[in-house]
Amino acid sequence: MAALRGSDVLEASQVRILSADGEVIGAGFLVAADVVCTCAHVVTGALGVPDTEESAPGTPVDLDFPLLSGRPRARATVVSWRGGGADVALLRLDAAVEGARPVPLVDGTGVWGHTFRALGYPDGADDGVWASGTLRAGQGAGWVQMEAQEPGPRIEEGFSGAPVWDDAQDGVVGMTVAAHLGERTAYLLPSAELVDERTLRPRCPFQGLAPFTEADAEFFHGREGDTARVHTAVRRRPVTLVAGPSGCGKSSLVRAGVLPRLRAEGMSVSELRPVPGVRAAAVLARALTGILEPELGEVERLARAEELAGLLETGGDVPAELRGGVLARGASAGHVIFVDQFEEYAGAEPAAARGLFGLLAALAGGGLTVLVPVGTTLMAVRAESVGGERFRADSGKYSVSPNGRFVALVTDRRLEVLDASRTRHQSVSLPPPAETVDWIPTWTADSKRIVVWGESGNLYRSYSVQDLRDSVPLDDVVPKAKELDSVTELRGGEVDSVAALQGSEIVLLTVDGRLARVDAADAAVRTRRFLVHPAPNWAGTGLTGEIFVRSQLIARPGHPGQVAAVTRTGTQRGEILLWDVWSQRRVTTLPGPAISVPFATDSFTSALAFDADGSHLAVQNVDGQVMVWDVDRRKQLARSAPRASNDALVGIGSGDSVVTYLSDKKQVQFYDLTGDGASGTLPVAGGNWIAGFVHGHRLTIDTGRLRQTFDLNPDTQFRTLCAAADRDYTEAERKLLPEGTPSQPPCS
């Protein structure tokens, strides 16, 4: 059973409710393997009974699964009925339908601004029509308002009973129940209102600190690639290790992702959990006794386990001899022994753990597989292949989307976009750029559009990441730059830097020191160009120092409308301008040394980087240092981070640490600016750095071939677990903590 993506699950759950003569009345969807949810008024319409029916109809309802192969039909009986304002009916299938899958129900509150999609069956569209748009908030009746996007289908009669998929949460937030006639406003009943506890046990998809189990497999999404890799390894090797820092989700991955797939393929599974203080042979013997002689009582089992432990400690071929007995008791496709919490055993009993691992390795083979999650002190959380040689075949500029999902590459002839989570590749042709101009890709803040523009040239177009054929021309936004496209010397009107602002809005800075705010989705100019810093009259000035630099521009997180801008003149003077582009007001100026302008052939890097809340700004200076500003206090931190001229500024890590990429060494460096000035490095595999970003305590580095995610503060995982348990670290946990972790109890 392959792991399903969110879109696949949604399609595999879709139901059409039919009348007795086969007419499509409305929609529905699976909420359990044999339970369909729809509107009560859809059921009455299908059965031809009045909408005022207060009791559940006893007549079976006909339905089919239109998006499954062969459109299998089924019948179902109403088992839960809430007419009137609630308008919910739950129907139990006579038999489960092969290939159908229930959807995950997610929180239907606090969804303002989330995008959605829904499949309905209005008149003349029995095969279904997809509608999409934006979710709003709840209203008086308890429904949540939806706004269908324009242009596009409206939600109308025929969408009743349709599940509403929230793209941000990858799950169903509710069921379509009503729509305004002739308008784009419709309403959903939140997911919490769909569950009848007598019929369907309510299950929360949010596990908090609790690990996922096999019973939670339907809610386990987003790690399909990891699941597939571990599953493949288990099927090919006698022993598989799943390594990562404690708390990163190894057990959840195995239990909710891998084990259900193995069981579906005919393998049996047993669990072994070593307990500190119990010798290795006894740990394995207790597990094997339960497999080999499950009919024994507790006392007999303990005695038999002790005998078996003695045999294991004598050495020889005992584990190999036991393997046949385990396989004989297991399923036809083989047997998996899942060893959980091995890292705690290893931390408390290192020698015993080595002995246990040796016994497990001797036991494995011939269809018997051992699967062991192991904890490490390494900071690398995961690495996943993206792109490969084909994606890197042409030289150009790379950019990673703010949500980390997409990688864009522009060459002098093409725009290419890779969906790294699904390995979907799109491309579209670009015209040759003007002489001396390179095409540059810049993502909008919502990761939905890519703006292609010419460095020291003009804006060109913005493209929808869902379909690159959906593009908007932008070359009329700065008309003067359009006129100068074929000019080989700067005149001042050229676009010099572009940054994402919020949503689909971008802000641009021209060579002559002017800012403008533009909506990349429709080319609307929200704020016309205005001067932020006087620049020379470029025409006829000849070669100056400002010719050889470019401006810098970055939006300030947590401060809507604010940007940090450095003009070409400002790079030499060290002037960082904070502007509010909404009100065209200068917020402040941060004076300092001259600013370095990074140069890279494969990426469009920046000399500026804000932290997560916009309170601190890292700046690369030409003196080889990275300084960090306390922006609101207009004060630089006392310590700076060293860098070489060809290093790249990645961002600001936890605790005001500066993160840079050392290109010569292919390493990431962390330099603490507030503590003792300690620095550390991490090796980066997969080629040269093309893009990187810091999000919270996670660092992502993309080389085009490999995307690697690192945990910048792995001890926080232990702090969270400790706080939940209201206790200090155990001695075993402390041994796994990174060097430099504070020694005081985190929960005190």
Side-chain angles (χ1 to χ4, degrees):
M1 180 180 66
L4 295 178
R5 301 176 300 182
S7 58
D8 295 332
V9 173
L10 177 60
E11 292 177 6
S13 74
Q14 297 282 344
V15 166
R16 293 189 304 184
I17 307 298
L18 310 173
S19 67
D21 58 5
E23 179 187 359
V24 179
I25 304 300
F29 55 103
L30 278 185
V31 289
D34 62 346
V35 177
V36 171
C37 181
T38 186
C39 291
H41 78 264
V42 171
V43 173
T44 58
L47 297 177
V49 299
D51 284 345
T52 55
E53 190 76 31
E54 294 184 1
S55 58
T59 306
V61 178
D62 292 317
L63 54 88
D64 68 4
F65 291 80
L67 301 186
L68 294 182
S69 177
R71 292 187 176 180
R73 293 191 64 150
R75 304 194 87 189
T77 304
V78 177
V79 290
S80 176
W81 184 259
R82 284 170 287 163
D87 198 16
V88 180
L90 299 180
L91 293 71
R92 192 174 303 280
L93 296 172
D94 291 347
V97 174
E98 183 178 357
R101 296 286 185 273
V103 293
L105 297 177
V106 297
D107 187 9
T109 62
V111 294
W112 183 280
H114 292 193
T115 56
F116 75 85
R117 47 190 152 138
L119 178 67
Y121 307 95
D123 285 343
D126 284 356
D127 290 331
V129 172
W130 286 98
S132 60
T134 305
L135 298 173
R136 298 306 182 193
Q139 41 92 267
W143 297 344
V144 174
Q145 185 174 326
M146 303 183 285
E147 298 294 334
Q149 70 178 14
E150 192 172 15
R154 299 178 178 180
I155 294 178
E156 53 187 310
E157 187 175 356
F159 277 83
S160 293
V164 179
W165 184 269
D166 183 337
D167 293 321
Q169 299 186 77
D170 266 345
V172 168
V173 291
M175 178 178 67
T176 308
V177 291
H180 276 302
L181 185 63
E183 297 185 13
R184 295 193 169 271
T185 300
Y187 301 94
L188 65 84
L189 188 65
S191 55
E193 302 299 323
L194 304 180
V195 176
D196 181 347
E197 296 186 20
R198 294 170 299 179
T199 304
L200 189 66
R201 181 171 62 90
R203 297 183 60 199
C204 177
F206 304 105
Q207 299 295 109
L209 294 172
F212 283 82
T213 66
E214 287 191 67
D216 303 311
E218 67 185 276
F219 299 130
F220 190 71
H221 301 290
R223 299 184 67 180
E224 288 82 1
D226 295 335
T227 299
R229 281 191 289 276
V230 176
H231 170 263
T232 300
V234 171
R235 298 297 279 167
R236 292 179 178 176
R237 305 170 186 165
V239 178
T240 300
L241 302 181
V242 181
S246 180
C248 74
K250 301 183 298 296
S251 292
S252 292
L253 172 68
V254 171
R255 289 181 180 278
V258 179
L259 296 186
R261 294 183 68 173
L262 295 173
R263 289 188 192 274
E265 293 171 346
M267 296 190 76
S268 53
V269 178
S270 59
E271 182 175 332
L272 183 156
R273 179 173 294 197
V275 179
V278 179
R279 67 192 197 278
V283 168
L284 182 57
R286 291 177 184 180
L288 293 179
T289 302
I291 299 171
L292 296 170
E293 301 182 85
E295 67 280 355
L296 293 179
E298 187 64 29
V299 175
E300 292 176 299
R301 185 179 301 171
L302 288 174
R304 192 64 58 88
E306 190 58 34
E307 292 176 10
L308 183 55
L311 291 174
L312 289 169
E313 289 172 334
T314 62
D317 295 330
V318 176
E321 294 172 4
L322 292 170
R323 182 191 311 145
V326 173
L327 290 173
R329 286 280 188 172
S332 58
H335 189 84
V336 180
I337 296 180
F338 168 45
V339 185
D340 199 15
Q341 303 301 319
F342 184 80
E343 61 199 68
E344 292 188 3
Y345 189 63
E349 309 275 354
R354 286 193 294 271
L356 176 59
F357 192 78
L359 291 172
L360 289 168
L363 179 69
L368 177 61
T369 297
V370 175
L371 177 58
V372 190
V374 292
T376 73
T377 57
L378 299 178
M379 299 177 74
V381 176
R382 66 169 61 99
E384 52 194 341
S385 298
V386 291
E389 295 295 335
R390 178 167 173 250
F391 192 65
R392 289 284 302 240
D394 298 321
S395 61
K397 302 287 187 183
Y398 291 83
S399 181
V400 178
S401 62
N403 64 7
R405 175 174 166 180
F406 302 98
V407 182
L409 163 66
V410 291
T411 67
D412 59 353
R413 292 298 178 96
R414 298 195 70 77
L415 165 65
E416 301 188 51
V417 177
L418 183 77
D419 183 338
S421 66
R422 299 180 183 175
T423 64
R424 179 188 176 211
H425 183 262
Q426 299 182 75
S427 65
V428 67
S429 298
L430 296 176
E435 186 179 354
T436 74
V437 172
D438 287 332
W439 289 129
I440 307 294
T442 296
W443 289 89
T444 55
D446 57 13
S447 299
K448 293 182 178 180
R449 302 195 75 85
I450 312 133
V451 176
V452 175
W453 57 283
E455 183 179 6
S456 299
N458 192 15
L459 299 180
Y460 174 57
R461 301 182 83 89
S462 81
Y463 296 84
S464 168
V465 71
Q466 295 300 324
D467 186 352
L468 296 183
R469 294 171 297 181
D470 176 11
S471 66
V472 176
L474 299 175
D475 53 2
D476 283 331
V477 168
V478 189
K480 287 290 184 183
K482 185 176 182 180
E483 296 173 10
L484 297 171
D485 273 349
S486 59
V487 178
T488 57
E489 64 180 45
L490 294 176
R491 296 297 180 87
E494 296 90 345
V495 175
D496 213 25
S497 193
V498 177
L501 197 57
Q502 66 174 21
S504 59
E505 289 189 356
I506 59 172
V507 59
L508 61 91
L509 180 60
T510 57
V511 168
D512 56 358
R514 297 177 185 273
L515 281 174
R517 180 167 63 105
V518 179
D519 193 324
D522 58 9
V525 178
R526 304 301 184 193
T527 302
R528 295 197 173 276
R529 289 195 304 151
F530 61 95
L531 186 66
V532 298
H533 196 289
N537 178 8
W538 290 94
T541 58
L543 295 178
T544 69
E546 296 170 5
I547 293 288
F548 298 101
V549 298
R550 63 175 171 83
S551 60
Q552 303 288 296
L553 186 64
I554 185 172
R556 186 182 182 190
H559 298 73
Q562 288 192 23
V563 296
V566 181
T567 64
R568 292 193 172 216
T569 302
T571 59
Q572 297 183 317
R573 296 182 182 176
E575 293 175 335
I576 303 166
L577 312 174
L578 252 70
W579 273 84
D580 186 323
V581 294
W582 288 354
S583 63
Q584 302 181 35
R585 174 182 62 89
R586 182 181 293 191
V587 178
T588 190
T589 301
L590 306 176
I595 296 170
S596 171
V597 178
F599 172 79
T601 57
D602 284 347
S603 57
F604 197 74
T605 55
S606 175
L608 308 177
F610 275 110
D611 63 1
D613 62 5
S615 62
H616 290 82
L617 175 67
V619 184
Q620 287 185 350
N621 299 125
V622 294
D623 59 1
Q625 305 293 310
V626 177
M627 303 298 299
V628 175
W629 284 88
D630 183 325
V631 178
D632 292 326
R633 296 170 61 191
R634 299 183 67 246
K635 182 179 179 180
Q636 287 184 333
L637 302 185
R639 187 179 285 121
S640 62
R643 65 174 287 274
S645 59
N646 57 348
D647 293 341
L649 174 63
V650 179
I652 300 179
S654 57
D656 291 325
S657 61
V658 171
V659 183
T660 56
Y661 179 75
L662 311 180
S663 57
D664 289 343
K665 299 180 179 179
K666 291 183 171 54
Q667 292 179 334
V668 172
Q669 176 176 270
F670 310 88
Y671 194 85
D672 184 8
L673 299 182
T674 57
D676 57 6
S679 63
T681 59
L682 284 173
V684 175
N688 292 319
W689 177 89
I690 61 168
F693 55 92
V694 177
H695 183 72
H697 61 89
R698 292 291 174 93
L699 162 70
T700 297
I701 298 294
D702 207 316
T703 66
R705 295 185 180 92
L706 193 68
R707 169 173 302 168
Q708 292 156 90
T709 303
F710 302 90
D711 192 333
L712 302 182
N713 194 14
D715 72 300
T716 57
Q717 300 163 0
F718 291 102
R719 292 178 182 274
T720 303
L721 293 169
C722 161
D726 194 24
R727 61 165 176 79
D728 188 11
Y729 303 130
T730 65
E731 189 171 334
E733 288 170 345
R734 283 201 175 277
K735 290 179 180 178
L736 294 173
L737 293 176
E739 187 177 348
T741 299
S743 59
Q744 67 269 22
C747 302
S748 59

